[in-house]
Amino acid sequence: MSSYDTYDTTPVPLTWLYVPGDRPEVVLKALGAGADVVIVDLEDAVAPGRKEYARSATAELLTDPVTCAEDAVPVHVRVHGEDDVRALAGLPGLSGIRLPKVTHAASVHHVAALAPGVALYPLLESALAIEHAYSIATAHHDVRGIAIGESDLRADLGVRDDVGLDWSRSRVVVAARAAGLEPPTQSVFPDVRDLDGLWASCGRGRALGMLGRAAIHPRQLPVIERAFRPTDQELEAAEEIVAAARTDAGALALPDGRFVDAAVAAAAHRTLALGRRTAASAGAGASAG
């Protein structure tokens, strides 16, 4: 067996579904919508007068057998503040905390101290946060991923379209990779009816090195899933590379002239791992594009 066969092929989430925390009946429904991760939102999606109720309802949900089962869909919570972290830390159904508007590593350290052992996902939503992307990504061993909050970042930078965010996205992709984290997921696409636009936007994000995307409606999930799954041609190419790499632990050239080294073989293994996602999720819904 060559060293290429030791590459980590653990599947990573591609779809993350946001649900308002003050609507527990919708959260329960979302758990069966087919997303890889459900994110209960206690921040932007909840009106100020409903924050305490949302926190209480979410705490109750995270002790419910439906979220605590071994095969349950992972539930993350986008918190609004320290009170949310204190109330939810340690609850058995909590799989991760999304930290909005992080600008410095110190904020991550503070939350990690309040919720030891909980996976943390800082959201970078300002120019200052983008500048500090690597220090945030490496702030604590409980940080499992970083992502951009594109709506706030777009407003902060004064840009109106996707092109204006490309540099920031690339900066965060590089920071995540340098920190040894999974590639960042794309931010939500706000128009739930424009599936063609979602498809095109996912393609742009994938080209920049992002992997997977957050959604705000279940109808967006199949489009995101398909957009980030490898194509048949990509899978065939990856299989050829992996087969060739097994015969030689060093660099080699394929019959068509392509050069294969450890980095290329590792990428091929990752492509095949993504391709092994369930046929059910691959065939769910209609594609756009």
Side-chain angles (χ1 to χ4, degrees):
M1 181 175 68
S2 79
S3 60
Y4 301 138
D5 293 314
T6 64
Y7 181 68
D8 183 9
T9 57
T10 303
V12 298
L14 291 185
T15 53
W16 313 66
L17 180 59
Y18 273 100
V19 191
D22 62 342
R23 301 185 64 187
E25 73 286 356
V26 177
V27 177
L28 288 172
K29 186 176 180 180
L31 293 172
D36 293 324
V37 179
V38 167
I39 304 174
V40 180
D41 191 3
L42 302 183
E43 197 208 14
D44 290 344
V46 179
R50 301 270 291 174
K51 297 290 188 186
E52 289 190 16
Y53 168 72
R55 182 190 308 134
S56 171
T58 300
E60 183 175 349
L61 173 79
L62 294 176
T63 59
D64 190 296
V66 73
T67 63
C68 299
E70 186 175 344
D71 59 349
V73 176
V75 175
H76 292 193
V77 178
R78 181 164 74 169
V79 296
H80 177 63
E82 185 175 311
D83 289 344
D84 292 340
V85 177
R86 293 183 183 278
L88 304 178
L91 296 183
L94 180 67
S95 296
I97 293 177
R98 316 280 291 190
L99 305 176
K101 298 177 175 59
V102 174
T103 57
H104 295 83
S107 300
V108 179
H109 282 288
H110 182 65
V111 174
L114 296 175
V118 178
L120 303 179
Y121 295 81
L123 302 177
L124 315 183
E125 305 182 56
S126 66
L128 183 59
I130 299 300
E131 284 298 299
H132 292 163
Y134 180 71
S135 65
I136 292 170
T138 56
H140 195 275
H141 58 78
D142 284 337
V143 174
R144 304 296 170 78
I146 56 175
I148 299 175
E150 291 189 354
S151 178
D152 284 1
L153 180 60
R154 185 178 282 110
D156 192 37
L157 296 177
V159 300
R160 297 184 177 182
D161 54 28
D162 269 4
V163 176
L165 292 178
D166 280 357
W167 185 87
S168 296
R169 290 167 173 162
S170 295
R171 175 75 177 266
V172 173
V173 168
V174 171
R177 178 58 184 159
L181 303 175
E182 295 292 345
T185 57
Q186 275 191 273
S187 186
V188 299
F189 189 81
D191 189 342
V192 299
R193 296 168 297 180
D194 185 8
L195 299 185
D196 289 332
L198 171 62
W199 176 269
S201 179
C202 288
R204 189 178 191 90
R206 186 181 182 193
L208 292 171
M210 308 186 95
L211 183 63
R213 187 164 201 159
I216 53 175
H217 194 283
R219 70 166 60 101
Q220 296 177 315
L221 298 176
V223 178
I224 296 169
E225 175 80 26
R226 286 195 51 130
F228 286 97
R229 281 177 59 87
T231 64
D232 290 343
Q233 292 81 2
E234 288 170 336
L235 290 171
E236 290 174 8
E239 287 170 354
E240 184 179 6
I241 290 170
V242 169
R246 288 197 185 101
T247 67
D248 191 339
L252 67 152
L254 298 179
D256 63 3
R258 284 177 295 158
F259 184 76
V260 177
D261 60 9
V264 173
H269 275 286
R270 184 185 189 89
T271 296
L272 294 180
L274 285 172
R276 284 192 288 268
R277 291 171 61 87
T278 65
S281 62
S287 70

